[in-house]
Amino acid sequence: MDPGMNHLLKWGIENSSTDAPSPDAPPPRPIDPAILQAIFGGPSDADLMKQSMAAILSPDITLENKLTAFDNFEQLIESIDNANNLEPLGLWTPLVELLKNEEGQLRRMAAWCVGTAVQNNEKAQERALVMGAIPALVKMTVEEADDNIRRKALYALSSEMRNYQPATDEAVKALPERLRTERPIDAADMEAVDRIIAKLRERK
């Protein structure tokens, strides 16, 4: 029997009874939405991620709707499993390219999504590094005039650097010369990382 159908049958047996429920009985166990989705053919998170990115990249979609799609995308990749699916779905390339988009609000959302994907996720940190996100984020923190966009870039850069030494080393290399330190920065030293981010925030 299909595993999904087996789970559904088990749930039905557990939650069906002709007797009046006891006041001390535990509440019915909810069925896993993922099982229902698999059985009844609803779009998977992977499908929704691809659809959102397609909308963001489409020339026929309004900016307002692109931002809505981006918001949906960001919520999806709050799940570490979905964030790690960015690579097999081929979504890291367009996401990093959007950091350089001529539309500022799309750059802001792209930075936000990078930050969400890499936060406490070494696999995603490694992908962001390989895909070239760090120089783009550093450039945004230095050159963006809009503080809302800069804040998202700073968030993404900070999340990318923390506890991941290769990203921290790459970020330090990408910094303007005036902000570089003579001594290496330890990615596990939160205060040292915070000092770099603070200097970028203050445009010192």
Side-chain angles (χ1 to χ4, degrees):
M1 179 184 291
D2 178 86
M5 291 299 295
N6 189 45
H7 282 297
L8 185 60
L9 178 60
K10 183 179 178 182
W11 179 86
I13 292 170
E14 289 176 352
N15 292 280
S16 62
S17 174
T18 57
D19 300 326
S22 166
D24 299 323
R29 182 168 59 88
I31 190 168
D32 188 342
I35 295 172
L36 290 176
Q37 186 180 76
I39 293 170
F40 296 111
S44 66
D45 282 0
D47 291 332
L48 294 172
M49 290 164 65
K50 290 188 290 185
Q51 290 169 12
S52 295
M53 184 57 72
I56 294 163
L57 299 176
S58 172
D60 301 321
I61 302 293
T62 65
L63 177 60
E64 181 180 1
N65 287 332
K66 286 176 186 281
L67 295 177
T68 298
F70 236 145
D71 188 59
N72 293 337
F73 187 83
E74 192 276 333
Q75 291 181 54
L76 284 163
I77 61 174
E78 287 177 357
S79 157
I80 193 168
D81 290 336
N82 287 341
N84 288 339
N85 268 340
L86 288 170
E87 179 187 7
L89 294 175
L91 296 176
W92 268 115
T93 297
L95 181 58
V96 171
E97 283 301 311
L98 283 160
L99 294 171
K100 309 164 193 172
N101 192 276
E102 62 182 14
E103 172 51 57
Q105 293 309 306
L106 294 182
R107 295 196 301 276
R108 175 179 64 85
M109 291 300 298
W112 188 7
C113 287
V114 170
T116 298
V118 302
Q119 192 168 45
N120 301 315
N121 183 349
E122 186 171 328
K123 182 176 180 180
Q125 287 174 300
E126 186 270 339
R127 283 292 90 198
L129 171 65
V130 169
M131 299 306 298
I134 292 174
L137 289 169
V138 170
K139 183 176 181 179
M140 290 173 71
T141 66
V142 173
E143 298 183 3
E144 288 284 358
D146 187 323
D147 283 342
N148 289 323
I149 301 174
R150 290 185 68 245
R151 276 195 290 269
K152 294 303 183 187
L154 287 163
Y155 157 69
L157 187 62
S158 174
S159 298
E160 172 68 3
M161 292 173 66
R162 291 176 188 278
N163 292 309
Y164 186 56
Q165 194 63 50
T168 298
D169 294 342
E170 182 67 19
V172 171
K173 285 194 297 184
L175 290 173
E177 189 171 349
R178 70 182 187 280
L179 297 180
R180 292 179 196 162
T181 58
E182 294 182 3
R183 301 173 63 181
I185 299 295
D186 182 353
D189 185 343
M190 298 298 101
E191 290 185 1
V193 173
D194 285 343
R195 284 194 293 270
I196 293 293
I197 297 301
K199 288 179 180 179
L200 286 167
R201 182 178 295 113
E202 296 163 8
R203 298 183 189 267
K204 287 185 177 179

